[in-house]
Amino acid sequence: PPRLPSTGPPLGQHTPSKPRQGVRLAPGTPGAERAAAAEEEQIRRAEEELDIAQSNLETWRKRALEAERAAASEREALEAVIAEERTTVAELRAKLSALSADASQ
């Protein structure tokens, strides 16, 4: 028997109702303006997300630098305290040694 011409995709396949990502409708075709507007909106949102991410990155970089400066300042202060305590320990050892020497005489 003669076959009738196909009016659609082969059995088991379907035709997508929307253009796939990256597929563009030719200007003037039905839905081309809507697709272009949707694509522009998607680009606008992606640009907004990028701006937010860049702003967040800069904020975290600034916070990291501030934390590094604060840590360096705290380290300097602690090193000064340690130096003072070492001096105190050395002075007390010398005093104890002198007292021990006096007591043994």
Side-chain angles (χ1 to χ4, degrees), residues 16-50:
S17 59
K18 297 180 184 174
R20 280 180 257 133
Q21 190 72 14
V23 175
R24 292 187 182 267
L25 297 173
T29 60
E33 287 182 20
R34 269 184 289 134
E39 188 174 306
E40 287 176 13
E41 178 64 15
Q42 203 172 17
I43 290 170
R44 186 190 64 74
R45 286 184 183 156
E47 288 173 341
E48 284 179 1
E49 288 177 16
L50 176 61

Side-chain angles (χ1 to χ4, degrees), residues 3-4 21 27 31 34 40 47 49 51 68 77 83 91 102-103:
R3 293 184 64 190
L4 296 173
Q21 190 72 14
R34 269 184 289 134
E40 287 176 13
E47 288 173 341
E49 288 177 16
D51 288 345
E68 286 177 16
E91 290 171 352
D102 286 345

Side-chain angles (χ1 to χ4, degrees), residues 61-83:
R61 281 184 181 159
K62 287 178 183 176
R63 287 184 182 179
L65 285 173
E66 289 169 6
E68 286 177 16
R69 287 186 192 118
S73 178
E74 186 174 353
R75 181 179 299 121
E76 288 174 11
L78 289 172
E79 287 173 354
V81 169
I82 290 169

Side-chain angles (χ1 to χ4, degrees), residues 77-91:
L78 289 172
E79 287 173 354
V81 169
I82 290 169
E84 288 175 21
E85 292 302 323
R86 283 185 179 148
T87 301
T88 302
V89 168
E91 290 171 352

Side-chain angles (χ1 to χ4, degrees), residues 99-105:
L99 290 173
S100 294
D102 286 345
S104 65
Q105 290 178 0

